[in-house]
Amino acid sequence: MDSSYIQVTPIKQSKIDTVDFNKLDFGRVFSDYMFECDYKNGEWQTPVIKPYGPISLDPSARVFHYGQAVFEGMKAYKDDNDDIFLFRPDENLKRINKSSERLAMPAFPENYFFDGLTKLLHLEKNWIKKGFGNSLYIRPFVIATQPAISASPSEDYKFMIILSPAQAYYAGEVRVLFAEKYSRSANGGVGFAKAAGNYAAQFFPTSLAHKKGYQQIIWTDANTHEYLEEAGTMNIFFRIGDKLITAPNNDRILDGITRKSIIQLAKDNGIEIEVRPVSVAEIKDAARKGELKEIFGTGTAAVINPIVGFGHSEEDFELPKLEKSYASFFKEKLMNIQYNKSQDPYGWRVKI
Ligand SMILES: *Cc1c(COP(=O)(O)O)cnc(C)c1O
């Protein structure tokens, strides 16, 4: 890999010594450098790496008016030998380009993405801390920058990567509310894309759920609210008896990399897995019979987030506390691969 074409503007002084790595609030602290690449005159210009800091945009930049913006979430991991790894990064590039396509934005070139990310991470290697659970969260994103407020796609864009150190993520006890009124996505919409606007649309209904004592919403299909789809920033799995069930991908559901990795691990570890629509009625019925053993969310930030209970139609259900949960089994399997503590027969772990 020759990334010498990516010029680096050096920082004056690193701020790493001002950061308490044992007390990190997720997504609040950013590393010293950022990656930036502009799209102008129909092509991506030569990318650069420069000190992390504010960017200047015209107030009429289209991103502010029409939400033409997509993003990704990935992590860099370090093993005990100071080697740095990514997890299935090709999937993130594919997905950001799929998201961009849906929002009428240009695809980002593979070589710029990997050369830029690798160079940035090598520069910032001290920000990736060793230890199970520590990581450097990677946030690539693309925004529409053209100053013009007519409602049409931008001609100019900015692709950036910023980095934020993260510790093992613990969300506390998570109770969820099954959605009955609001929806995060609809047929033919942008639910499958990591489009910025998908998240803004969830904040209000989620704040209503908070007031009722739930931390998150499990979104249901927009037509009938009878099928459970995903948790807004995570995909969702249900365990009935010893069988695992998760909804199939469609244009309302984000095609999670953690989700598809878990489906593969289940198959290869003799855990029965069904990928099919999951109805609210079926889950409530299983809960009443004591057959519902687990619900957990999956995503890059938390890996796996166990759910302790759920509410629907003024009824509340608690899940059993298990000694040997699938949630902890999969979390350990995945993290062992990510942190180079186990074999990786899938080639998911990429050393950079
Ligand atoms: C990012 C995201 C996920 C999880 O995807 P991973 O690739 O596993 O990190 C799930 N649902 C939504 C809506 C997301 O934005």
Side-chain angles (χ1 to χ4, degrees):
M1 181 199 73
D2 175 23
S3 61
S4 56
Y5 65 91
I6 303 175
Q7 294 217 340
V8 179
T9 307
I11 47 165
K12 295 205 173 64
Q13 199 188 346
S14 174
K15 54 192 178 201
I16 196 164
D17 292 334
T18 67
V19 176
D20 183 351
F21 282 83
N22 296 311
K23 249 193 236 134
L24 292 168
D25 222 359
F26 182 76
R28 298 279 179 129
V29 171
F30 295 91
S31 72
D32 291 322
Y33 287 98
M34 62 187 189
F35 171 88
E36 189 177 322
C37 184
D38 286 323
Y39 184 87
K40 278 192 206 118
N41 305 321
E43 55 188 2
W44 291 102
Q45 310 295 303
T46 307
V48 296
I49 291 175
K50 56 186 184 182
Y52 179 91
I55 55 172
S56 171
L57 290 180
D58 199 289
S60 61
R62 290 187 194 269
V63 62
F64 299 134
H65 305 273
Y66 306 116
Q68 216 188 352
V70 298
F71 69 94
E72 266 306 316
M74 334 168 44
K75 279 177 173 175
Y77 311 91
K78 203 179 244 183
D79 71 3
D80 295 335
N81 298 322
D82 285 324
D83 286 328
I84 300 168
F85 301 92
L86 297 170
F87 184 72
R88 309 186 75 174
D90 47 322
E91 296 283 342
N92 296 96
L93 175 67
K94 258 194 260 164
R95 193 168 63 189
I96 201 166
N97 284 339
K98 208 169 126 191
S99 299
S100 289
E101 183 184 28
R102 180 62 183 81
L103 274 92
M105 300 162 81
F108 195 64
E110 183 173 352
N111 62 327
Y112 282 2
F113 181 74
F114 284 108
D115 293 350
L117 184 56
T118 307
K119 189 160 183 160
L120 184 64
L121 289 172
H122 283 159
L123 211 53
E124 299 287 57
K125 58 181 187 298
N126 294 338
W127 288 83
I128 315 170
K129 295 297 177 191
K130 279 191 264 204
F132 215 43
N134 295 329
S135 64
L136 189 59
Y137 184 81
I138 303 166
R139 170 53 60 89
F141 63 101
V142 197
I143 53 174
T145 52
Q146 187 189 14
I149 56 167
S150 50
S152 56
S154 180
E155 286 172 14
D156 304 334
Y157 296 91
K158 197 183 275 300
F159 182 105
M160 302 191 72
I161 304 175
I162 55 176
L163 306 171
S164 177
Q167 287 174 274
Y169 189 91
Y170 178 66
E173 291 211 328
V174 179
R175 278 189 180 71
V176 296
L177 186 64
F178 292 175
E180 288 178 80
K181 174 178 176 187
Y182 294 99
S183 302
R184 75 172 280 278
S185 61
N187 293 336
V190 296
F192 70 88
K194 262 180 132 69
N198 286 343
Y199 304 82
Q202 295 183 59
F203 295 158
F204 175 65
T206 305
S207 73
L208 296 180
H210 282 168
K211 284 188 192 132
K212 293 170 123 184
Y214 305 96
Q215 283 70 42
Q216 286 184 33
I217 294 179
I218 306 291
W219 299 101
T220 47
D221 71 289
N223 281 348
T224 67
H225 295 296
E226 284 174 17
Y227 292 92
L228 295 156
E229 300 211 310
E230 69 163 314
T233 58
M234 291 189 296
N235 297 108
I236 189 100
F237 286 76
F238 302 86
R239 174 182 175 183
I240 297 180
D242 284 333
K243 185 164 67 187
L244 208 51
I245 318 170
T246 192
N249 285 328
N250 56 38
D251 55 7
R252 300 181 303 271
I253 298 182
L254 199 286
D255 182 7
I257 298 161
T258 319
R259 172 187 175 277
K260 67 175 132 196
S261 304
I262 286 172
I263 293 172
Q264 183 72 51
L265 287 172
K267 286 180 180 156
D268 296 346
N269 285 276
I271 292 173
E272 192 184 346
I273 166 111
E274 286 180 0
V275 180
R276 58 154 174 89
V278 187
S279 76
V280 174
E282 168 185 16
I283 295 305
K284 286 172 82 173
D285 191 45
R288 283 196 192 97
K289 290 184 183 145
E291 290 168 1
L292 183 69
K293 299 275 193 278
E294 291 179 64
I295 305 178
F296 55 85
T298 68
T300 297
V303 192
I304 291 188
N305 207 342
I307 286 157
V308 301
F310 69 91
H312 179 257
S313 278
E314 308 297 320
E315 256 190 291
D316 277 301
F317 298 84
E318 291 292 304
L319 289 160
K321 288 196 174 57
L322 300 184
E323 287 281 306
K324 284 190 173 175
S325 68
Y326 283 173
S328 47
F329 173 80
F330 287 119
K331 186 165 185 169
E332 199 185 317
K333 281 256 173 221
L334 269 182
M335 288 178 69
N336 281 339
I337 294 178
Q338 290 167 338
Y339 287 84
N340 194 25
K341 285 183 179 292
S342 71
Q343 299 278 56
D344 172 19
Y346 309 103
W348 289 341
R349 182 171 61 221
V350 176
K351 184 170 155 178
I352 61 147

